[in-house]
Amino acid sequence: MAYLPEVYKGFKKHFPKIAGDYDKLAMSCNDGGPLDEKTREMVKLGIAIGLSSEGGIKSHTRRALASGGTAEEVRQAALLSLTSAGFPSMIAAMKWVDEVLDKQGK
């Protein structure tokens, strides 16, 4: 994935060892089980929605799409948060998901 948020680029610049360790940990977690990349990104999207993390939601929306997810699947992931995270969290997530989808023309 070519896109990196400016805040993460700054983190990598100021703390390269920690960023490298973090990246290795992320890879270990990704390789730690049977889930494919698309499923992992959809799970991470759901976690980001539960945390109301705008950056996480946008990042994992982009990554879910890049790994083969469809706009409909990503929107459903946001919709599923309605009954567990509540309407305000779901509607904010839907807004951030739609911003990414609109930017990608989906």
Side-chain angles (χ1 to χ4, degrees), residues 4 6-20 23:
L4 286 177
E6 291 302 316
V7 67
Y8 188 69
K9 288 179 188 177
F11 172 72
K12 286 182 79 104
K13 178 182 175 186
H14 293 292
F15 305 100
K17 182 181 180 331
I18 295 169
D23 290 343

Side-chain angles (χ1 to χ4, degrees), residues 4 7 12-14 17 20 23 26 28 40 46 48 61 68 71 76 82-83 86 92 99-100 102-104:
L4 286 177
V7 67
K12 286 182 79 104
K13 178 182 175 186
H14 293 292
K17 182 181 180 331
D23 290 343
S28 292
R40 290 190 310 262
T61 295
Q76 184 181 13
L82 176 62
T83 57
E99 286 176 7
V100 171
D102 290 346
K103 193 169 190 178
Q104 293 193 9

Side-chain angles (χ1 to χ4, degrees), residues 29-47:
C29 290
N30 285 341
D31 296 339
L35 297 178
D36 63 26
E37 183 180 4
K38 177 181 143 183
T39 304
R40 290 190 310 262
E41 292 305 332
M42 295 298 283
V43 168
K44 290 178 181 183
L45 174 60
I47 293 166

Side-chain angles (χ1 to χ4, degrees), residues 55-102:
I57 291 166
K58 288 179 175 182
S59 175
H60 292 295
T61 295
R62 284 189 296 271
R63 290 169 182 247
L65 294 169
S67 63
T70 66
E72 293 79 16
E73 289 170 328
V74 172
R75 283 191 179 106
Q76 184 181 13
L79 181 63
L80 288 171
S81 72
L82 176 62
T83 57
S84 56
F87 186 81
S89 294
M90 181 278 298
I91 206 70
M94 195 68 75
K95 175 185 182 291
W96 296 324
V97 162
D98 282 339
E99 286 176 7
V100 171
L101 294 174
D102 290 346

